[in-house]
Amino acid sequence: MRTIGVFDSGVGGISVLKEILKEFPYDNIIYFGDSLHAPYGDREIEEIRALCLKVSDFLVYEKKVDVLVIACNTATGAAMTIMRERYRVPVIGVVENGVKEGIRETKNKRIGVIATPATIKMNVYLKEFNQIDKTLKIYQVKCPLFVELIEKGWIDNEESCQLIKTYLNNLPKNIDTLILGCTHYPLIKKYIKRYFTKKIIDPAKETAKSLKLIIGESKYIEKREIKFFVSGDTQKFKKVAQEFLETTVDNIVNIIL
């Protein structure tokens, strides 16, 4: 019986989990939300890497997952290379998939990326884009307050709307594609769409499709399990996760590694 491991710095990876649930209806899934240490994007790279390895060691060595999905852009940039060297199971990140989709969608080769400060500092997206097409114009904007507000439960009010507008105003007006460079951001995509009406890329969908190419179709089992491990406030996690997944979220275990 196959088990897919998914982890994020908190509740943001639920955007990836939602797409995986669609593509893999019969596999067991373990999700780890390290919300105690969220947001990763405000931390130093070495600290992020250490946090990632604690969580991934737990999923690979203790929970024996068959594949590991890093449902966090910052974690992908900080730790994916070392994780692929460390484990025998496949390790999949979200950045490459978002980049490929962005390239497919752009018409004028001007692409915006909004992400956490750490993701921008590491130039995760810029490096990936340059490996494929150096003629692209990539514009990156850090959004340091988004993750914290999403983890608490986003409130659609004048203050939050102004925050979105402020961040988006730092992007050139002529970009035709915007990549949500943090898996938390799809949770507020409907609000972002009010102020950016062109193409918005959510790497979560492409990550789930890429996962299927790597491990194959989901095989039928009588009853699968979906387990959640959360290092921080489980009730806050549950509230946001249920709202985005549009279903009841049970089987949550509070754990600190």
Side-chain angles (χ1 to χ4, degrees):
M1 190 178 296
R2 195 167 61 181
T3 301
I4 299 171
V6 182
F7 89 85
D8 178 53
S9 61
V11 75
I14 291 294
S15 63
V16 179
L17 176 63
K18 187 173 185 177
E19 299 302 325
I20 290 175
L21 290 171
K22 293 176 186 176
E23 296 287 348
F24 298 91
Y26 304 120
D27 288 278
N28 290 332
I29 297 174
I30 297 177
Y31 181 98
F32 195 108
D34 192 19
S35 52
L36 180 66
H37 300 106
Y40 278 10
D42 294 341
R43 298 177 182 274
E44 293 300 318
I45 308 306
E46 288 301 322
E47 185 181 8
I48 297 166
R49 189 172 292 127
L51 290 169
C52 290
L53 292 178
K54 276 188 179 182
V55 175
S56 55
D57 279 357
F58 170 75
L59 290 171
V60 174
Y61 297 137
E62 292 192 37
K63 295 303 173 183
K64 310 294 184 185
V65 298
D66 299 292
V67 60
L68 188 60
V69 179
I70 313 172
C72 173
N73 290 264
T74 302
T76 298
M80 187 171 71
T81 299
I82 192 171
M83 286 166 62
R84 283 180 168 172
E85 295 170 352
R86 190 180 183 92
Y87 308 122
R88 293 185 178 182
V89 302
V91 179
I92 300 168
V94 289
V95 174
E96 181 182 0
N97 297 292
V99 165
K100 289 180 178 177
E101 181 67 5
I103 292 173
R104 281 193 290 267
E105 291 295 335
T106 186
K107 300 296 187 293
N108 68 3
K109 291 196 169 188
R110 294 178 180 275
I111 301 172
V113 179
I114 54 175
T116 67
T119 296
I120 300 297
K121 182 179 180 180
M122 288 185 288
N123 276 321
V124 177
Y125 275 90
L126 189 59
K127 290 174 183 176
E128 195 68 39
F129 273 117
N130 285 338
Q131 285 184 5
I132 301 173
D133 187 349
K134 292 184 178 180
T135 68
L136 295 163
K137 298 293 185 182
I138 309 300
Y139 304 92
Q140 304 180 97
V141 170
K142 56 185 177 182
C143 307
L145 298 179
F146 274 173
V147 171
E148 182 180 354
L149 294 176
I150 292 167
E151 285 285 328
K152 291 178 179 177
W154 186 271
I155 299 173
D156 182 27
N157 56 23
E158 184 177 346
E159 184 180 358
S160 61
C161 289
Q162 185 58 49
L163 184 64
I164 293 173
K165 286 192 285 186
T166 298
Y167 288 150
L168 294 183
N169 283 341
N170 290 320
L171 290 164
K173 302 299 181 186
N174 62 351
I175 64 169
D176 70 350
T177 304
L178 178 66
I179 293 180
L180 303 181
C182 171
T183 54
H184 280 74
Y185 300 174
L187 278 64
I188 58 169
K189 182 179 177 180
K190 62 182 179 181
Y191 307 121
I192 294 173
K193 287 175 71 173
R194 292 174 182 167
Y195 311 105
F196 187 85
T197 56
K198 301 171 188 176
K199 187 66 180 180
I200 296 179
I201 303 298
D202 173 4
K205 294 181 180 180
E206 297 307 311
T207 300
K209 291 177 183 177
S210 176
L211 178 60
K212 181 178 281 189
L213 290 175
I214 293 171
I215 68 173
E217 294 280 347
S218 184
K219 295 182 179 179
Y220 177 76
I221 57 175
E222 288 188 11
K223 185 180 180 181
R224 69 135 168 226
E225 279 191 310
I226 302 174
K227 295 181 179 179
F228 295 87
F229 291 89
V230 178
S231 61
D233 189 323
T234 56
Q235 290 306 308
K236 284 184 179 179
F237 176 91
K238 182 174 183 177
K239 181 178 182 296
V240 178
Q242 287 186 157
E243 182 178 346
F244 192 72
L245 291 175
E246 299 176 308
T247 188
T248 301
V249 172
D250 293 315
N251 210 359
I252 303 178
V253 176
N254 182 248
I255 184 173
I256 299 176
L257 300 178

